[in-house]
Amino acid sequence: MKYVQTTCPYCGTGCSFNLVVDKGIVTGVAPYQRSPVNEGKLCPKGTYAHEFINSPDRLKKPLIKKDGKFVEASWDEALKLVAEKFKSYKPDECACLASARVSNEDNYAMMKFARGVLKTKHIDHCARLCHASTVAGLANIFGSGAMTNSIGDIAESKCVFIIGSNTFECHPLIGRRVMQAKAKGAKFIYADPRYTPTGKQADLYLQFRSGTDVALMNGMMQEIIKNGWENKEFIQNRCNGFDELKKEVMKDDYSLLNVSKITGVPADKIKTAAEWFAKSGASAILYSMGITQHTTGVDNVKSCGNLQMLTGNLGRPGTGVNALRGQNNVQGACDMGCLPVVYTAYQKVIDETAQKKFADGWKFPDGIAKGENGYEVTTLMNVLTEKPGEIKCLYIMGENPMISDPDLTHVEHALKTLDFLVVQDIFLNETTEFADVVLPAACYAEKDGTQTSTERRVQMWRKAQDPPGEAKGDWEIIASIAAKMGYGAQFPWKTSEDVFKEMATLTPSYGGMTYERLNRPEALHWPCPAQDHPGTPILHGEKFGMPDGKGLMTGIPFKWPQEVPDNDYPFVLTTGRSIWQWHTGTMTRRSASLEREEPTGWVEINTEDAKKLGIADKEKVKAKTRRGEITIPARVTPDIMPGVVFIPFHYVECAANVLTINALDPIAKIPESKACAVKIEKIAEAK
Amino acid sequence: MGLFESKPAVKAGDMVYAWTTEDKIAQKAECGGAVTGLLKYALANKMVDAVLAVQKGQDIYDAVPTIVTDPNDLPGTAGSLHCGTLLLAKVVQKFQKGSPGKKLAVTVKGCDLMALHELAKRKGVNLSNLLLIGVNCGGTVSPVKARTMIRDVYQVDPNTVHKEEIDKGQFIIEYDGGHKGISIDELEDEGYGRRSNCRRCLYKVPRQADLACGNWGVIGDKAGKATFVEVCSDKGADLLQKAVKGGTVATAPADPKGIEIRKKVEGAMVKLGQKWRKKDFTSLKANLWNKIGEETSRCIKCYSCIENCPVCMPVSGNGTETKSLMVEQGALPPSPMFHMRRFAHISDSCVNCGQCEELCAMDIPLALFSHAIRSEADLAFEPKLGVSNYSN
């Protein structure tokens, strides 16, 4: 029996636990009390994070599609085919999707492969679907697109405002910190169309219409300025743009009465929220998909930034704009440059100095991708259907767009236009259906590497068992393809540490990190630019990362979601998650302890709405939007706002994304997963 | 050397000072290294197939359970870690499956021992397969809380501390540049210190083990260099006798004054435990239902309480939630019956080990509730599986 300490493969909190290994196989999970993040505590996904590892469904051999069926192949055969096909395309005919689930080393390898081997400008990953608004929005106003504070210091807050995050279910061990703050006397304000388990702990619950976040926050800011509750010193010394902000939020549109009409929140509650928030002395905002997944995602994020700059709640413990990153390593995937506009550490591809730095560092004899911005994955899907043939080849690692992307009918259409699709994963899934080649990968328990949590803490994965069959680590597979294509010299790595070392030389925020320094329980928060730098738990203590060091306040006008309810589709459909499942379910639906708690999806509908439609709890109903329809059991509850329904997106048999709208934020290109128009119908009795 | 040739046979009840004769162990060990010496003898001479002990992980705040099969690896488990809050009894139950075919030596704190006894009553473990080396325990401190305490109260960087111990009612640290001790009472009044279940614990010297070892009562020239060993069973007597004969461990009779001192220390600790029990339980008295309801309202059904409780025996395989009439599948917070049925299940076997409370994702004071239930039930009702041979 051996305990191997590692970090969780599920959400972005970055909890640690031990994998228990017996005779070379992972048999269970044991607590790791020493972790400063979770102190041995786990959510149910962490408790059962071992259950899928040795599932009989694990991919063990490469698969090649022959006559419409997958046939097992040797690595040699598969690599040969992939290399040949990749070589046959022009650079920008290819696109790569990296993975928010795999290690930094794996993602760096994919990024290097895309730009150095394929020389394409098209690389992205699923951050596009979740926090693209954050990355763009916060970079725009603070100069850094990441969670500003640390998870631990949330417990020191005097007022926690959660908007658009069901923290108890999606980041449970961060939910714990909020409760710790509350136990010490902090006020807790919660804004969500659903009265979730998190909301039930709130001192003040704001039930508001999905997509009206800017109105709510502008309304709060008007109230704050009207009463003189703003932090004048902070605004004066640390920010630009107050006049623009003031001009917008003081408009009559954002009076308490008008905001109440737009959002559905009673005026007195908005006022109380504004007062508590502004006066506490240390207020923290926690947000997640409710803020980001809108056509106004970037606006929503910037509004959160406005609120914090207005009240001086940045750069200290218990404050901050805390964007809760979803995936275990989405932060790392972004840091590693798996985005169409940046290299690692957000160095812009259009910046000639940056391009030269990577070209010189990588030493590809025939150069690298040109310094131009590429397609985001949402744009890519549109290009595939609107201009078929422009993109011929797609290489996907650890992603399942056939469940996670908006408007699944559209996604299917898009994938079918491809000439060549390679998918690298640990299980077959709804996306591998369309692949020409499937490559079997190692999971988190089967490799060494690093991953970066939402609080910018870079932590280690440690190998606990061998991958099944002939499955290999992701960067190893990528390096093998590169070698087959003649670029072996540029992928000379023998260990994950080799990959990390190379990456760190090109990545200022990781520049001072080494495996030795990371191999301790506290690990390191980036930025950590030098060997003797202690890392940075809290950002923006003295200066923002902007050219003049000041944060940028902006005037954000409220805009409705792209598709609002009407007579044909009278409800707002909002989508989200359940604590029991992870995203497209490839891992959790194979974990018996998790799957049995919520084995299928549901449409949450308010008791009054259900009564009017004559729908009973657990009754199967039809949910229809302009994109498609699904059959799904109803869950009748008073906990959701009348006029709004909710569907979790995990379940292929009633896939929420069949219904969602492919409407994108103009800057971040993130889809509006949180708001579209839907109708709910009884299924006619056919007996 | 000639002294113990003429010694009478070791028997249960004997109290000796013991120490390892091996330098490698002595260097790493605290107070004589007898425990590690005895374990090494047992393993090397095939009295057991493996040893389950604790060793230091990444630093002095990190305790890692380890199965050792090579006697030369045992020095790594020497020393003591007051931040080792883990429960080896659970490792035996869950990951060693009760150790049915393997003879296992285990170092056990009081809570480990009580848990193993409760398991044995319910046929969850075969005690005759286990060689139990008990260690005195006055309580443990959660590692991250210990670091916060050292930073905030001691005003010392926890990364510079290389040794910690609990002695004479103080938590003492040695760090680069000095050492500092603060009274546990003071720390605990300020909200720091030992885990709350440890504070209530009355089982400080694990006499239901085969040997009970510690450093209380070691006085004179052996102070700090020997372990006080109380022989508690024939198995223990046998091990000690053989280890001494084999030259791995040396002993001397315990100083009678030392025995008195040990008794006093134990008495003081038990008294302190009773003070905390009174405080904790009476604070629950008036508002019990509401308190339980309020606290459990934060539950996210992480199952840590069930998975880490040494006496919780869940039904294996699917099916519980789909058959339950009172606990709704997947619902958060879970129905009250989720908690109530677990309290009922462990009500006569909770040993106040505190794992549930320390590992609860939402800091629900579960051990407080369960311990209170067990304590009261023990007073009011006949134990269905027989009286326990310990009191807590």
Side-chain angles (χ1 to χ4, degrees), chain A residues 34 41 47-48 176 597, chain B residues 59 301-303 307 363:
Chain A
R34 179 64 183 84
K41 298 155 195 277
T47 304
Y48 300 115
R176 171 179 178 242
E597 296 277 351
Chain B
D59 57 24
K301 230 178 172 187
C302 70
Y303 283 91
E307 292 288 346
D363 305 308

Side-chain angles (χ1 to χ4, degrees), chain A residues 237-262:
Chain A
N237 297 335
R238 307 254 347 241
C239 310
N240 291 321
F242 176 62
D243 292 333
E244 278 79 55
L245 170 73
K246 186 169 177 188
K247 192 155 145 226
E248 182 65 36
V249 306
M250 296 314 287
K251 287 186 180 151
D252 189 52
D253 306 37
Y254 308 113
S255 69
L256 287 178
L257 206 58
N258 283 330
V259 171
S260 180
K261 283 200 196 119
I262 295 170

Side-chain angles (χ1 to χ4, degrees), chain A residues 240-456:
Chain A
N240 291 321
F242 176 62
D243 292 333
E244 278 79 55
L245 170 73
K246 186 169 177 188
K247 192 155 145 226
E248 182 65 36
V249 306
M250 296 314 287
K251 287 186 180 151
D252 189 52
D253 306 37
Y254 308 113
S255 69
L256 287 178
L257 206 58
N258 283 330
V259 171
S260 180
K261 283 200 196 119
I262 295 170
T263 60
V265 182
D268 61 312
K269 288 199 170 165
I270 302 171
K271 184 176 173 143
T272 307
E275 186 166 4
W276 285 3
F277 190 85
K279 285 182 169 178
S280 87
S283 295
I285 292 181
L286 274 58
Y287 77 80
S288 195
M289 304 293 91
I291 283 285
T292 58
Q293 284 178 332
H294 283 285
T295 47
T296 57
V298 173
D299 284 352
N300 294 344
V301 169
K302 284 162 90 167
S303 297
C304 294
N306 278 341
L307 194 46
Q308 290 300 49
M309 282 186 277
L310 185 69
T311 53
N313 280 305
L314 285 154
R316 299 176 284 126
T319 66
V321 176
N322 299 293
L324 303 182
R325 307 297 300 256
Q327 299 263 20
N328 56 306
N329 199 25
V330 64
Q331 182 66 60
C334 291
D335 298 343
M336 293 301 105
C338 296
L339 298 167
V341 301
V342 291
Y343 301 107
T344 64
Y346 308 97
Q347 300 167 95
K348 295 190 165 68
V349 297
I350 57 176
D351 179 335
E352 272 174 40
T353 325
Q355 211 226 353
K356 185 168 190 307
K357 175 176 170 179
F358 280 84
D360 291 347
W362 287 347
K363 301 187 179 53
F364 282 91
D366 49 354
I368 65 172
K370 41 182 158 36
E372 281 172 18
N373 292 339
Y375 290 145
E376 306 84 359
V377 59
T378 40
T379 307
L380 178 73
M381 294 298 173
N382 288 340
V383 168
L384 285 170
T385 55
E386 287 160 28
K387 299 191 231 159
E390 179 183 322
I391 304 284
K392 298 191 164 73
C393 169
L394 183 55
Y395 179 17
I396 299 180
M397 172 174 71
E399 301 238 312
N400 190 10
M402 272 303 295
I403 298 285
S404 55
D405 285 35
D407 191 353
L408 297 180
T409 313
H410 178 248
V411 178
E412 183 172 340
H413 178 192
L415 294 179
K416 281 182 165 153
T417 69
L418 289 165
D419 188 55
F420 190 63
L421 174 61
V422 180
V423 181
Q424 187 167 305
D425 211 305
I426 64 175
F427 289 114
L428 287 177
N429 58 36
E430 293 75 13
T431 303
T432 58
E433 285 280 305
F434 301 96
D436 298 290
V437 182
V438 175
L439 301 175
C443 78
Y444 81 103
E446 296 154 357
K447 55 190 174 182
D448 291 329
T450 60
Q451 59 170 356
T452 308
S453 72
T454 187
E455 57 171 353
R456 297 165 284 103

